[in-house]
């Protein structure tokens, strides 16, 4: 019974399953939305990233367009493994000891999204790219919380949300302005909910900030 | 065991909640909605972002997480709205033969300003069709379902679902549009020559289809033997024709149940069906004699429909009879 439950739970919802193979044909407009959101969320990070990382992002965007047009096929598993390995080595060399710094983590995040563009075969892959774009909006707030950045990030969220909407739309009925308008409408309507949650939610301290060792003195009597 | 009992319970529950009707308007009573797997993924990403916000103590990150959570909550409403108020009706296509696809045309219509986008329709066993009502107020989609057995065919419950706008919630409904489609037995070719020779004892003879002498050509028809197709003409690309042969036969032909001894009920019906098709195409008088009923020889489309209907519904019991009275007139 537990096994039945587990198989039921792991079964994917019947989206577009035809003859056992899930087919997801991404609308052209959706690809444009996704690439646009990736470009928009990467722009503020560019100055902090090494140049080769930016170049890699541009390269991946170009390849994903070529894949979509059918000029290039999806890279095979060997090529993918090699690329990921090389990129990891490059990142380790680049950041050296600061591998766990915020800069390095954000770099890995951006590269991860860019590389994921090369294997957007299933709907799940596409969704991961979009969800990670939301994440990189958050990453920008680590560096700056100024009003211009906040406004710019609102635009990013609008574009990412439009990308999320466009993959559920039918190819022939994609109209970017309508998608943008409806996304904007939903985002505006959820601002009161955001305000409510923001005010009501209790502030929790950091979950695993590293405590400063010598801050607390040791008191007691010596023998 | 558990699965089948649950299925039965579910079936009855749905039947009570959404009774069959010819025209259904979707509303809060018949729409179900739940976050789907993508929605759970969305929540998982939000949880990760929340942990990030807590750790770095960034107000804007909190705001972003709560904003997206608000979007998630609103999406439940918007996904519901994308089905709510939709008018659904359907038309079943004409009668078909067993094993063929029944065509069901689902008509979605909207009244008012609200538009409906990316709505998926399917019957159990049919392919999914996506319908959009954006510029148009009515959308017709054809769905094809295989009818395995003869009799009144009901395609089951139409599943109408949508994940628009964000794919993180799924709203759906399964509705019974009270459709019936008459399914004739699958025609199986048999020797018409033999059939006609059984009836030689009567006085009048007439020329009809047989296999003796070449008589002419006519359009190819389902169930015709491939050996009789005029391949020379087909090869010239002029279409499929069947070569007709003539034989001397009785004027009025009785198609009898006993003509095909040592056969199952379905096999007999399939062969009788083939004979009816042939005789009707030949414009002859024919009658049908089944163990429980008798149709006097006649011709014409009305007679043809009557004979085919009794072949389709032979020995299918009370339920089918009832449906026959109240069902859609095909």
């Amino acid at each position: 019974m537990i096994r039945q439950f587990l198989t039921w739970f792991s079964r994917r919802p019947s989206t577009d399953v035809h003859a056992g193979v899930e087919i997801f044909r991404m609308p052209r407009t959706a690809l444009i939305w996704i690439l646009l959101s990736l470009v928009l969320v990467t722009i503020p990070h560019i100055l902090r990233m090494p140049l080769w990382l930016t170049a890699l992002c541009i390269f991946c965007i170009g390849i994903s367009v070529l894949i979509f047009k059918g000029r290039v096929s999806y890279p095979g598993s060997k090529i993918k493994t090699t690329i990921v390995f090389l990129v990891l080595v490059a990142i380790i060399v680049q950041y050296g000891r600061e591998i766990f710094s915020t800069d390095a983590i954000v770099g890995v995040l951006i590269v991860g999204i860019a590389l994921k563009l090369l294997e957007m075969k299933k709907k799940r892959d596409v969704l991961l790219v979009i969800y990670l774009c939301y994440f990189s909006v958050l990453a920008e707030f680590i560096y700056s919380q100024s009003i211009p950045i906040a406004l710019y990030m609102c635009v990013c969220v609008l574009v990412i949300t439009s990308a999320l909407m466009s993959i559920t739309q039918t190819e022939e009925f994609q109209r970017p302005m309508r998608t943008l308008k409806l996304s904007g409408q939903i985002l505006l309507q959820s601002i009161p909910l955001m305000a409510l949650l923001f005010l009501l939610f209790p502030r929790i301290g950091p979950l695993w900030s590293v405590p400063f060792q010598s801050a607390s003195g040791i008191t007691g009597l010596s023998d | 065991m558990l699965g089948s009992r649950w299925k039965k319970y579910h079936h009855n529950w749905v039947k009570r909640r959404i009774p069959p009707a010819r025209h259904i308007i979707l509303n809060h009573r018949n729409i179900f909605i739940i976050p789907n797997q993508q929605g759970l993924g969305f929540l998982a990403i939000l949880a990760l972002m929340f942990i990030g916000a807590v750790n770095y103590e960034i107000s804007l990150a909190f705001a972003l997480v709560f904003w997206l959570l608000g979007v998630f909550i609103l999406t439940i409403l918007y996904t519901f709205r994308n089905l709510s108020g939709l008018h659904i009706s359907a038309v079943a296509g004409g009668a078909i033969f067993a094993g063929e696809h029944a065509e069901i045309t689902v008509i979605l219509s909207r009244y008012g300003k609200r538009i409906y986008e990316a709505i998926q329709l399917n019957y159990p066993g049919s392919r999914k069709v996506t319908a959009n009502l954006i510029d148009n107020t009515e959308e017709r989609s054809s769905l094809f379902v295989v009818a395995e057995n003869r009799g009144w065919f009901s395609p089951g419950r139409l599943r109408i679902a949508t994940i628009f706008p964000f794919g993180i919630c799924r709203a759906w409904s399964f509705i019974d549009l009270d459709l019936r489609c008459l399914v004739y037995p699958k025609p199986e070719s048999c020797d018409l020559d033999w059939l006609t020779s059984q009836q030689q004892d009567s006085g009048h003879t007439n020329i009809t289809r047989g296999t003796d002498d070449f008589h002419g050509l006519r359009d190819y028809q389902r169930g015709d033997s491939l050996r009789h197709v005029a391949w020379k003409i087909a090869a010239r690309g002029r279409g499929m024709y069947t070569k007709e042969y003539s034989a001397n036969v009785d004027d009025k032909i009785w198609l009898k149940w006993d003509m095909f001894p040592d056969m199952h009920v379905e096999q007999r019906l399939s062969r009788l069906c083939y004979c009816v098709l042939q005789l009707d195409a030949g414009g002859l008088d024919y009658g049908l004699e089944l163990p429980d009923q008798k149709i006097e020889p006649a011709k014409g489309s009305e007679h043809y429909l009557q004979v085919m209907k009794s072949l389709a519904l032979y020995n299918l019991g009370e339920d089918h009879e009832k449906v026959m009275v109240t069902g859609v007139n095909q």
Side-chain angles (χ1 to χ4, degrees), chain B residues 2 56 154 156 209 223 303:
Chain B
L2 190 76
Y56 285 97
S154 166
R209 240 143 278 243
H303 176 68

Side-chain angles (χ1 to χ4, degrees), chain A residues 1 12-16 18 102 123 127 131 134-135 137-138 141-142 145 150 154 157 161 164-165 168-170 173 175 178 182 185-187 189-191 193-194 197-198 201 204-208, chain B residues 2 37-38 41-42 45 48-51 54-71 73-74 78 115 117-118 120 127-128 130 132 134-135 163-168:
Chain A
M1 185 137 166
R12 296 168 62 80
S14 56
T15 44
D16 282 85
H18 184 63
T102 312
K123 198 170 187 178
L127 282 169
Y131 289 171
Y134 279 128
F135 209 102
V137 170
L138 184 129
F141 289 146
I142 298 172
Q145 296 197 59
C154 284
V157 168
T161 311
L164 191 59
M165 184 182 288
T168 65
Q169 285 173 316
T170 319
F173 294 96
R175 253 153 276 169
R178 194 162 48 81
L182 187 56
Q185 186 190 328
I186 296 173
L187 283 171
Q189 284 174 353
S190 57
I191 283 177
L193 276 170
M194 170 186 76
L197 286 166
F198 196 81
F201 202 83
I204 319 168
L207 293 176
W208 56 74
Chain B
L2 190 76
Q37 210 173 355
Q38 298 172 28
F42 187 80
I45 279 286
L48 278 177
M49 286 166 72
F50 182 75
I51 291 170
V54 166
N55 260 16
Y56 285 97
E57 292 185 289
I58 313 164
S59 295
L60 276 183
F62 275 112
L64 176 66
V65 172
F66 293 144
W67 198 12
L68 293 178
L69 200 63
V71 168
I73 294 163
L74 272 182
Y78 271 87
I115 61 170
E117 213 169 335
Q120 292 183 324
R127 288 190 63 179
K128 265 186 193 153
T130 308
N132 285 279
I134 296 168
D135 304 321
I163 56 168
F164 187 81
F166 293 130
I168 52 183

Side-chain angles (χ1 to χ4, degrees), chain A residues 50-62 83 87 91 110-112 114-115 118:
Chain A
L51 204 62
W52 65 267
L53 251 166
T54 314
L56 186 72
C57 282
I58 294 168
F59 174 75
C60 285
I61 288 174
I83 292 176
V87 167
I91 283 175
I110 300 285
V111 163
L115 289 180
L118 301 184

Side-chain angles (χ1 to χ4, degrees), chain B residues 97 184 192 195 208-209 218 221 244 253 255 272-287 298-308 311:
Chain B
F97 295 97
Y184 299 145
L192 276 173
L195 156 71
T208 183
R209 240 143 278 243
R218 63 170 172 78
Q221 193 186 357
E244 277 191 319
I253 298 166
L255 295 169
L272 285 172
C273 178
Y274 176 77
C275 296
V276 172
L277 286 178
Q278 295 296 317
L279 294 172
D280 184 66
L284 289 155
D285 283 16
Y286 55 94
K299 58 179 150 194
S301 61
E302 230 168 273
H303 176 68
Y304 166 79
L305 291 176
Q306 192 194 355
V307 168
M308 289 299 264
L311 284 177

